[in-house]
């Protein structure tokens, strides 16, 4: 993947948007990622809509995230 610049660029863009959305969720926002412009006009067309929720419960969300991340890595490494 690192050898192909186009793939690496698209992956980095999606990963960055995902981390932005996750950061907002950890700070107490409900997020939704939507495509707002057709890809023929611009390659970077993801809008992150965030609405502040009444309860953030940051500690529980972080625990759940870390638990899920560990499960994903375990599944990935078991191949």
């Amino acid at each position: 993947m690192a050898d192909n610049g186009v793939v690496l660029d698209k992956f980095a863009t999606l990963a960055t948007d995902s981390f932005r959305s996750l950061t907002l969720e950890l700070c107490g926002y409900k997020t939704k990622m939507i495509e707002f412009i057709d890809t023929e006009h611009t390659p970077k067309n993801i809008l992150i809509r965030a609405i502040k929720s009444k309860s953030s419960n940051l500690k529980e969300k972080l625990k759940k995230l870390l638990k899920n991340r560990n499960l994903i890595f375990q599944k990935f490494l078991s191949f």
Side-chain angles (χ1 to χ4, degrees):
M1 180 170 70
D3 295 339
N4 191 333
V6 174
V7 173
L8 184 61
D9 182 52
K10 289 184 184 224
F11 175 77
T13 300
L14 289 173
T16 301
D17 288 339
S18 296
F19 285 127
R20 287 178 179 154
S21 178
L22 180 62
T23 301
L24 286 166
E25 287 180 11
L26 290 173
C27 291
Y29 290 85
K30 291 184 179 181
T31 63
K32 186 174 183 181
M33 297 175 67
I34 59 173
E35 190 175 71
F36 68 98
I37 297 176
D38 194 14
T39 53
E40 69 184 42
H41 300 294
T42 179
K44 298 179 181 180
N45 62 347
I46 294 178
L47 171 72
I48 302 172
R49 182 185 306 165
I51 299 172
K52 183 72 173 173
S53 63
K54 294 182 181 180
S55 63
S56 65
N57 204 1
L58 178 62
K59 192 173 185 178
E60 289 300 318
K61 286 182 180 180
L62 192 55
K63 282 182 183 179
K64 184 178 176 182
L65 172 70
L66 292 174
K67 182 179 178 183
N68 289 341
R69 185 195 67 151
N70 287 338
L71 291 175
I72 291 169
F73 283 129
Q74 287 173 2
K75 288 180 183 179
F76 179 73
L77 294 174
S78 67
F79 284 105

